[in-house]
Amino acid sequence: MTPVVFIIGLLAAIPVAIVLALTAIWYIWESGNTVLFQSFAQKMFAGIENYGLLAIPLFMLTGEMMNEGGMTRRLINAARVFVGGFRGGLAYINLLANMFMAAIIGSATAQIAVMARAMVPEMEREGYDKGFAAATTAAGGLLAPVIPPSMMFVIYGVLAQIPIGDMFLAGILPGLLLAVCFAAVIALIGFWRGFPKGSWFTRREAILALLQCLPAALIPVAIIGGILFGVATPTESAAVASLIAFFIGWLVYRELKPAALFEMFRRTAVNASVIIFMIATANVFGWVIIYEALPQKLAALITSLTSDPFLFLLIVNVILLVVGMLIDGIAAVILITPILLPIAMSNYDISPYQFGVVMCLNLVLGLLTPPVGVGLYICSSMSGVKPGQILRSLWPFLLAVAVVLVLLSRYPILSTAFHS
């Protein structure tokens, strides 16, 4: 009966956190092991009693301050310096700006919302098809869960009990590979459709754009540099980044007003609490997984099909693709990690870093695919382009992600290079 409660809860569109808690309560009552009710609250609290989880609200706050402080606009302008003159230059600017934003925000939905407002009208003005403009922006949002810092990597690192900083490092090469594949897609579509030729900045304009962007560039440098050189933990880097974002927006660009802080803190608290509560309820849901021995049963099933790690990851990719279409990416990471990660590590000797990168990239595809497709609908809402129109132009980017997923599954070095 417990699986029925779980499935009905999801199909009824009840928030995933509530579904997890209700399923655990039902399981305890059905099993007769009611003594577990006495430690229910402690188990939930234990799920969030982790220092690394502090990085989630801090990275969210950094993104809020960047948007309010005018840093997003300056990063987009700086991207023009490097790729603005190519044919289809504005599409490349969109991609490069998304890379910059991914190294700061760490949330695909937030990034898609910000970039859709900024880039789609601009691309439309220069003669690009609205559907392609929105699709490029939505696809660029897929870089956020891979290029560090990543909200999904923080949650996965906590669940997998591996250093979050090392998980961030694992996403560097896959993130760059994904960006290169997206650039190749833009180049091929541009050649086929005959995109308008961009214009290069004059030397004076380029220097001015780079100088204006320099303070904002300190934020990704502080985040990634601090982790890469072992100066700070991801949580400390997130705290430093939010502080830098505040002072740059307030004192350098003079667009961030201290009076706006309370509203930013409120939005950050509300958004972060949803994720934190989900992690807490996932910890009590762990009782169901442990007592039902789900990893062991699933391991027996999968190992009977194949003993090849690559084929195992391909099977997992298909499973995750279906799950990602139905459940929010972060919720899916919380649900699936305790079940599939032990199988990957124990039965197939797969690195937790490789598995984490493959899983997070795969699940985030669900943001852009119906029926859930939160990112797709956010992009549609912010750009005024119908979801169907976006999907028609999005499929080459989704195909590129599929190619990257196969490469990441086949070659572990792509996600473990910094750990060798």
Side-chain angles (χ1 to χ4, degrees), residues 95 122 134 144 147 152 199 211 215-216 227 327 340 383 391 396 406:
L95 178 62
E122 186 71 20
I147 293 178
M152 290 178 83
S199 58
L211 286 175
I227 296 166
I327 304 175
L340 291 181
S383 63
L391 270 176
V406 172

Side-chain angles (χ1 to χ4, degrees), residues 22-38:
L22 287 176
T23 304
I25 290 169
W26 185 277
Y27 181 80
I28 294 169
W29 177 77
E30 193 177 47
S31 66
N33 197 7
T34 52
V35 70
L36 292 176
F37 282 129
Q38 297 175 16

